[in-house]
Amino acid sequence: CVSWNKSRVDGPTLVVGWWRASDPKVSSVGVWGYSHEQQRWSCITRLELEADTKGGFSEVRDVDWAPTMGRQHHLIAVAVGSTVQVFKLPSLQGWQERKVEALERPAVLTVGEGQPPIAFWRVGWNLTGTTLAGSAENGQVVCWKLDFQGQLKQHVTMTPQQM
């Protein structure tokens, strides 16, 4: 799975997620950037995935890079197993000259308190990068919204029966 950085300020950058079909525990997510000087793509950083709600690691099924809309940082959502993990990256300007700083641990989002874990298949940000939606294997769509402190809070859950 792949998603482009939508910022017009940064150079060409994208996030790539993959997993090995023969061993779903081998999953990885990397941020790649294109250097015009070197005429090649380079891995800027790898995103360290957290264990899912079952305590293991699962396959990365989808990634999405949020539009920045004036933020000084980037948000990348990753659908991995029964969680959606959201990473906060610092500004990527000048990444060719410096190493990207250590990243904070991701925010780990699930279906909700007291509900059995379900696998997420797709994630997507809205046009302003303030609401994240994740679709699950049972047909549910869960939306999280950024609050005034920049924390994602579950906003609404839609079930197939409501659609």
Side-chain angles (χ1 to χ4, degrees):
C1 45
V2 64
S3 179
W4 286 93
N5 177 359
K6 297 157 187 76
S7 171
R8 294 180 183 202
V9 177
D10 298 321
T13 45
L14 52 90
V15 59
V16 178
W18 62 272
W19 58 281
R20 189 177 301 155
S22 61
D23 185 2
K25 294 177 183 161
V26 180
S27 293
S28 185
V29 178
V31 177
W32 292 75
Y34 184 77
S35 169
H36 291 286
E37 293 80 31
Q38 298 175 356
Q39 296 288 308
R40 67 182 182 99
W41 288 89
S42 300
C43 185
I44 298 171
T45 188
R46 292 212 181 277
L47 306 181
E48 295 295 324
L49 299 171
E50 296 287 317
D52 69 13
T53 55
K54 298 173 187 167
F57 291 92
S58 296
E59 60 272 9
V60 172
R61 293 193 178 104
D62 196 22
V63 293
D64 196 32
W65 198 311
T68 54
M69 296 301 286
R71 281 192 298 267
Q72 297 298 314
H73 60 273
H74 296 277
L75 296 174
I76 295 175
V78 180
V80 55
S82 59
T83 65
V84 172
Q85 300 182 24
V86 180
F87 293 85
K88 183 177 173 181
L89 276 70
S91 172
L92 296 175
Q93 290 182 344
W95 65 264
Q96 296 92 338
E97 293 84 35
R98 63 174 169 78
K99 209 59 169 145
V100 172
E101 305 160 15
L103 304 173
E104 299 175 13
R105 295 180 80 77
V108 179
L109 309 172
T110 60
V111 174
E113 292 292 320
Q115 294 188 14
I118 54 172
F120 283 95
W121 284 88
R122 297 294 310 261
V123 289
W125 292 94
N126 69 344
L127 191 58
T128 58
T130 56
T131 301
L132 173 64
S135 65
E137 66 184 349
N138 65 355
Q140 283 185 334
V141 176
V142 182
C143 294
W144 297 272
K145 193 172 185 123
L146 282 170
D147 66 13
F148 69 95
Q149 295 176 321
Q151 302 296 315
L152 283 161
K153 304 290 184 197
Q154 191 164 334
H155 178 62
V156 67
T157 300
M158 296 169 274
T159 63
Q161 294 79 17
Q162 295 172 320
M163 295 180 203

